[in-house]
Amino acid sequence: MSASKPQRSGEVRIKHSLNKKEEEFVARRRNTVLQCLQKFNIHCSQDKVPNIALLGSGGGQRAMVGLLGSLVELDKAGLLDCILYLSGVSGSTWCMASLYKEPDWSTKLETVKDKIIKRLSGEGVNWTDILAKLKKYYYGKDFFSLTDVWAVAFVTSFVKEVCKYIQNIL
């Protein structure tokens, strides 16, 4: 394996519980949720903190912008820290990927929002480079599907980051 490629594991974890680091994160997040709920005079004990989740919808760029807008409004209302879990499908995961690039995204939401808006309103993707990278990617894989091509051709027109993404996987 070359030094430039990230090392990947072929193992799949099948368990009915979170791993240790996820458990630690959820425990810390429960404290944050508890404090936020107490600000709104919603009292519960540490072991009875409700599992409040926000699920972003699918729908491409509309879902991406919709989830970002919902998070911004929850933040303005002081409710963002009441959310224990954030989940999404399809287009909303494009927003989530941008959020997770910033480790403390919930405390720096305005900065993350500005970066997403700048990227979405920025310059388009260079298709010549994308095709060259797709070709290189194709020859390095045992299996290459129409989904791979679709992801690059369609999604990049919205998220405008395929060059960085493909560089990371090559």
Side-chain angles (χ1 to χ4, degrees):
M1 181 172 279
S2 72
S4 64
K5 285 189 178 181
Q7 202 169 20
R8 298 177 192 259
S9 170
E11 294 180 28
V12 175
R13 182 180 179 273
I14 301 175
K15 300 281 182 177
H16 295 287
S17 63
L18 301 175
N19 71 35
K20 185 174 172 51
K21 289 189 178 196
E22 289 171 318
E23 286 175 353
E24 291 168 358
F25 173 81
V26 170
R28 286 190 309 272
R29 187 67 187 172
R30 280 190 192 285
N31 287 329
T32 302
V33 172
L34 179 63
Q35 291 171 11
C36 185
L37 291 173
Q38 288 173 346
K39 282 191 231 176
F40 290 97
N41 292 320
I42 301 171
H43 300 286
C44 57
S45 62
Q46 180 68 35
D47 60 333
K48 299 287 185 184
V49 173
N51 293 324
I52 301 171
L54 177 64
L55 173 63
S57 69
Q61 189 175 21
R62 176 197 57 82
M64 179 184 191
V65 173
L67 178 59
L68 181 59
S70 295
L71 293 169
V72 168
E73 289 304 312
L74 284 167
D75 190 37
K76 286 179 184 176
L79 295 170
L80 188 60
D81 282 337
C82 289
I83 298 172
L84 182 60
Y85 296 104
L86 177 61
S87 183
V89 296
S90 192
S92 62
T93 63
W94 303 341
C95 175
M96 292 169 58
S98 297
L99 295 173
Y100 295 154
K101 287 180 182 179
E102 183 66 49
D104 298 323
W105 67 265
S106 66
T107 60
K108 299 175 183 172
L109 188 59
E110 195 64 30
T111 301
V112 175
K113 179 191 82 167
D114 291 344
K115 286 180 184 178
I116 291 172
I117 290 170
K118 183 177 178 183
R119 189 180 77 233
L120 289 176
S121 61
E123 193 173 312
V125 178
N126 181 329
W127 287 103
T128 304
D129 289 345
I130 289 171
L131 292 174
K133 290 174 184 175
L134 263 177
K135 184 176 177 181
K136 185 176 177 183
Y137 179 62
Y138 169 76
Y139 287 117
K141 290 188 76 165
D142 294 331
F143 179 74
F144 192 78
S145 72
L146 184 57
T147 303
D148 296 314
V149 175
W150 175 259
V152 171
F154 182 72
V155 173
T156 57
S157 65
F158 295 123
V159 297
K160 300 178 183 180
E161 278 196 343
V162 73
C163 292
K164 293 177 187 175
Y165 171 73
I166 289 181
Q167 287 172 349
N168 289 335
I169 61 175
L170 292 177

